[in-house]
């Protein structure tokens, strides 16, 4: 009896082990979609052509795609809608698996997928990562797809395609145009009888910040959110770029004024204190409207330096009685400092098993009037002029103002921009955040901060 | 078939089959990844493309890394403050719950609950909200007229204390182990002590404390190692700030791996941490014979 039991247990363990080994052995490419999770029964049913189909019809093999993007809830709603719309009209794609994360969490998520060889078929890309991903062979060159029309770019200006072309390979296609923009509480400024004109110089801006602080106690956000962007504008106004080739485009002297402005704002009180920015969560606790109440005025700011395409989200999230204004970042030479750029891109990764289906999705995104009628410029000003013109009348306040603002910046109020960033740029920007904190906490003088930042950043970009 | 049956019936064959699942797990999920991580620590590796061998450069870089130095400082501070506090708290609660009444089961479960929840993302987010300038904590102070809108999470002096508080609050697992330790001490010791006229505090310091030193030692080792690997709370509540005052080692390593594409350097950091933990654990083991009671209870 005992022996029989032991025999059974041993056999059971062997069987279990055999199962594990078999389960692990799926590294050979399967005919259908390896990167995706196992298709659901319905999807499989859909994927198999119905036997009742007319004999004349060619059976189309339907596939499942994966798509990843970053962004908040507002964008997610729209993206889901558009992807569903695509599936409905596509004869190639039966389902799209989706992953979404905040910008900060997106890159770790994608890095893991890249290492595992399971990047999504199509992913949203950012200029700051293009070089890194390209050097790692993670893109599929879309030039052949464009050449034979699988990605239809007939209506798209060449300059748009060039924005995602590196070394002769089309690795990313922009899906929105964007400019750096400072959003502000227009209601507050109106109450105070003040204005935030476009192309403010740094001196005008500081004077405005001081006046607002004196009159209302509300402070200014100049150094938080995206200091790299602020720095970029600031350096361009001095005639240099933040990054150049594989290194820095500026020297320690160029960085001083940026830190000096922060130090001045903190000392004079008009800049928000760093400890009052910490611990905030998302749109709900944005410093422009949170915490409410007159007694909390000095915990709030009248402005936030962001991107023009974020206007939609701000209009969506801000309190109803607050008007949101939009102006350029201040700098000593606004026209040299301002820049327009392609904001978000779509890329086909090299891990895709369904390049044709992926191409059809990208082509849909670039050309579908219905899709853009739903998104209405949520990812920035629409790059397809035909669609942009067709949907203009339907645009809400946000996208309409963006279109106007981006057009204004790009027509004579900005200068050309080299957006690609070297590998290691992400760490340099983290260091910029650290040094910024040292200055806002009064631990470093602007000169020391500039020198320190220059040294550390040069060390990172070896 | 009969041959197979006989083969499988041999004692050592059965033994090998029974240990196989563990051995496979050990090799596949521990030894191989460790070997890989050691190799990565000698390379420049950004996860996206194959690593490039650079010898000991990553280890040399560590010597000059100012942020690593600050991160170590923050981590040590956190561990050396939170672990003793947590153990003291756990022991205190264990003493309170060490009575056999009907409600004790419920109390024990309730006090253990924070440990189940404590590491979770949801509690971390809750914590962030509680200690925000206009959060619950300041609202409570407000009731006592103490509210000055103090930014607990934003101030260099207090941010780490919010994390320490969260760590201390998760005393449950240490408490359960203490409870088990307390149960081992025979009642007769206490009876004898009270007959001899020893008061409660004297009993605690002369009987309880010496006899649970093995439990304290075990908890100390486990909690110290756990403390050095703290990640969630710093990642979510303070994001390493302000001024790097909560930039714990695990968070710094994570950022190098995933945010800054330096997985090679991060692997070197991990090996450094392993070495450090090994040294600390050995020191604790060396001191063991000076303070840990290892006799029996007879």
């Amino acid at each position: 009896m005992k022996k029989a039991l032991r025999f059974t247990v041993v056999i059971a363990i062997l069987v279990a082990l055999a199962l594990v080994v078999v389960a692990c052995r799926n590294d050979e490419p399967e005919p259908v979609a390896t990167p995706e999770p196992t298709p659901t029964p319905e999807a499989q049913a859909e994927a198999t052509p119905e036997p009742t189909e007319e004999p004349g019809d060619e059976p189309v093999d339907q596939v499942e795609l994966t798509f990843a993007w970053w962004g908040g809830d507002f964008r997610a709603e729209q993206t889901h809608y558009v992807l569903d719309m695509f599936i409905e009209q596509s004869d190639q794609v039966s389902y799209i698996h989706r992953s979404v994360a905040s910008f900060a969490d997106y890159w770790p998520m994608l890095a893991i997928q890249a290492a595992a060889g399971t990047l999504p078929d199509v992913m949203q890309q950012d200029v700051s990562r293009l070089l890194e991903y390209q050097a790692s062979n993670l893109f599929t060159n879309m030039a052949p797809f464009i050449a034979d029309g699988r990605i239809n770019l007939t209506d798209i200006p060449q300059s748009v395609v060039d924005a995602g072309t590196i070394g002769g390979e089309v690795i990313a296609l922009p899906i929105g145009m964007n400019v750096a923009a400072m959003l502000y509480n227009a209601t507050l400024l109106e109450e105070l009888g003040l204005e935030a004109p476009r192309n403010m110089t740094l001196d005008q801006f500081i004077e405005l910040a001081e006046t607002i602080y004196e009159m209302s106690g509300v402070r200014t956000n100049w150094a938080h959110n995206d200091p790299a962007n602020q720095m970029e504008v600031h350096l361009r106004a001095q005639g240099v770029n933040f990054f150049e080739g594989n290194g820095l485009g500026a020297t320690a002297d160029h960085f001083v004024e940026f830190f000096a402005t922060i130090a001045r704002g903190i000392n004079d009180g008009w800049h928000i204190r760093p400890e009052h920015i910490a611990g905030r969560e998302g749109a709900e606790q944005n410093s422009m409207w949170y915490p409410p109440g007159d007694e909390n005025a000095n915990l709030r700011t009248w402005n936030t330096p962001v991107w023009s395409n974020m206007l939609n989200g701000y209009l969506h999230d801000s309190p109803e009685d607050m008007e949101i204004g939009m102006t350029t970042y201040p700098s000593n030479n606004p026209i040299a400092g301002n820049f327009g750029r392609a904001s978000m891109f779509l890329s086909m990764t090299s891990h895709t098993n369904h390049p044709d289906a992926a191409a059809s999705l990208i082509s849909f995104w670039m050309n579908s009037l219905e899709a853009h009628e739903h998104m209405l410029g949520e990812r920035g000003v629409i790059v397809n002029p035909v669609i942009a013109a067709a949907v203009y009348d339907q645009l809400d306040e946000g996208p309409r103002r963006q279109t106007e603002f981006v057009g204004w910046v790009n027509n004579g109020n900005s200068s050309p921009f080299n957006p690609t960033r070297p590998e290691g740029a992400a760490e340099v920007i983290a260091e910029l955040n650290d040094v910024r904190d040292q200055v806002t906490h009064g631990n470093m003088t602007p000169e020391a901060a500039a020198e320190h930042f220059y040294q550390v950043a040069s060390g990172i970009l070896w | 078939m009969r041959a197979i049956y006989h083969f499988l019936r041999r004692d050592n064959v059965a033994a090998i089959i029974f240990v196989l699942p563990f051995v496979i797990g050990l090799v596949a999920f521990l030894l191989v990844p460790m070997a890989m991580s050691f190799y990565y620590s000698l390379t420049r590796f950004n996860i996206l493309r194959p690593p490039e061998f650079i010898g000991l450069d990553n280890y040399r870089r560590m010597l000059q890394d100012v942020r690593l130095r600050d991160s170590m400082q923050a981590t040590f501070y956190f561990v050396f403050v939170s672990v003793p506090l947590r153990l003291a708290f756990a022991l205190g609660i264990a003493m309170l719950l060490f009575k056999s009444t009907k409600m004790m089961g419920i109390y024990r479960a309730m006090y253990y609950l924070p440990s189940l929840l404590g590491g979770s993302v949801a509690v971390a987010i809750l914590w962030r909200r509680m200690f925000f300038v206009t959060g619950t904590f300041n609202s409570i102070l407000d009731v006592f007229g103490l509210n000055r809108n103090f930014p607990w999470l934003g101030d260099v002096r207090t941010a780490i204390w919010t994390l320490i508080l969260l760590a201390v609050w998760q005393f449950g697992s240490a408490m359960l182990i203490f409870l088990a330790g307390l149960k081992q001490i025979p009642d007769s010791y206490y009876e004898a002590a009270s007959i001899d006229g020893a008061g409660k505090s004297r009993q605690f310091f002369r009987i309880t404390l010496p006899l649970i030193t093995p439990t304290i030692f075990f908890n100390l080792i486990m909690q110290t190692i756990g403390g050095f690997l703290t990640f969630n709370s710093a990642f979510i509540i303070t994001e390493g700030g302000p001024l790097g005052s909560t930039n714990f080692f695990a968070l710094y390593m994570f950022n190098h791996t995933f945010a800054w594409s330096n997985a090679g350097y991060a692997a070197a950091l991990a090996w450094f941490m392993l070495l450090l933990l090994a040294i600390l654990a050995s020191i604790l083991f060396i001191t063991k014979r000076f303070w840990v009671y290892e006799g029996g209870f007879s």
Side-chain angles (χ1 to χ4, degrees), chain A residues 7-71:
Chain A
F7 183 72
T8 320
V9 171
V10 167
I11 289 292
I13 290 175
L14 277 179
V15 169
L17 277 177
L19 280 176
V20 169
V21 171
V22 169
C24 291
R25 267 202 65 219
N26 66 349
D27 40 340
E28 293 153 43
E30 288 170 36
V32 188
T34 15
E36 296 90 340
T38 332
T40 57
E42 307 114 89
Q44 271 176 330
E46 261 182 78
T48 336
E50 294 285 320
T52 52
E53 251 179 291
E54 309 231 336
D57 272 2
E58 286 236 338
V60 185
D61 276 339
Q62 289 210 316
V63 298
E64 297 185 1
L65 289 180
T66 43
F67 183 82
W69 74 96
W70 70 82

Side-chain angles (χ1 to χ4, degrees), chain B residues 32-268:
Chain B
V32 170
M34 277 180 78
M36 281 167 74
S37 120
F38 185 67
Y39 168 66
Y40 290 151
S41 77
L42 304 173
T43 65
R44 193 193 300 185
F45 180 38
N46 73 353
I47 303 192
L48 300 179
R49 64 169 169 271
E52 179 190 327
F53 190 80
I54 53 165
L56 293 173
D57 279 4
N58 283 327
Y59 292 93
R60 271 184 220 118
R61 183 180 167 181
M62 250 185 259
L63 297 175
Q64 297 152 7
D65 189 344
V66 183
R67 278 188 291 174
L68 171 63
R69 202 194 55 205
D70 293 348
S71 165
M72 292 309 299
Q73 213 176 336
T75 315
F76 269 95
Y77 184 83
F78 174 77
V79 172
F80 287 153
V81 176
S82 72
V83 170
L85 277 181
R86 186 198 281 196
L87 291 188
F89 208 64
L91 182 58
I93 301 285
M95 296 291 292
L96 285 180
L97 295 183
F98 185 60
K99 296 189 182 105
S100 15
T101 62
K102 276 181 191 166
M103 294 294 284
M104 271 318 149
I106 294 168
Y107 282 130
R108 280 175 202 162
M110 275 168 55
Y111 279 101
Y112 186 63
L113 216 56
S115 301
L116 293 177
L117 302 172
S120 79
V121 173
V123 167
I125 291 174
L126 176 83
W127 222 252
R128 189 164 71 175
R129 297 212 154 199
M130 266 174 60
F131 287 98
F132 186 64
V133 184
T134 53
T136 323
F137 193 71
N138 275 341
S139 304
I140 294 172
L141 290 183
D142 207 15
V143 174
F144 300 100
L146 294 169
N147 188 11
R148 291 191 178 76
N149 272 348
F150 192 80
W152 302 100
L153 296 173
D155 195 287
V156 184
R157 290 161 301 176
T158 53
I160 199 167
W161 282 93
T162 64
L163 304 188
I164 290 173
L165 191 67
L166 177 59
V168 172
W169 185 55
Q170 298 160 40
F171 57 85
S173 61
M175 176 195 78
L176 283 188
I177 295 167
F178 276 133
L179 273 173
L182 288 173
K183 278 200 177 146
Q184 297 217 332
I185 306 175
D187 283 344
S188 54
Y189 291 13
Y190 293 107
E191 279 161 26
S194 33
I195 291 166
D196 288 346
K200 284 284 173 201
S201 66
R202 206 182 169 91
Q203 286 182 13
F204 175 75
F205 286 107
R206 291 299 166 93
I207 301 174
T208 315
L209 211 50
L211 290 183
I212 57 159
T213 45
T215 321
I216 295 177
F217 179 74
F218 174 78
N219 271 333
L220 188 63
I221 293 261
M222 298 312 286
Q223 303 291 343
T224 305
I225 293 173
F228 273 101
L229 303 179
T230 302
F231 172 78
N232 266 8
S233 55
F235 180 62
I236 294 166
I237 303 172
T238 54
E239 293 162 23
L243 281 185
S245 62
T246 59
N247 188 16
F248 296 152
F249 193 86
L251 178 61
Y252 186 58
M253 209 163 72
F254 171 87
N255 277 331
H256 265 298
T257 315
F258 295 111
W260 308 331
S261 311
N262 294 327
Y265 185 56

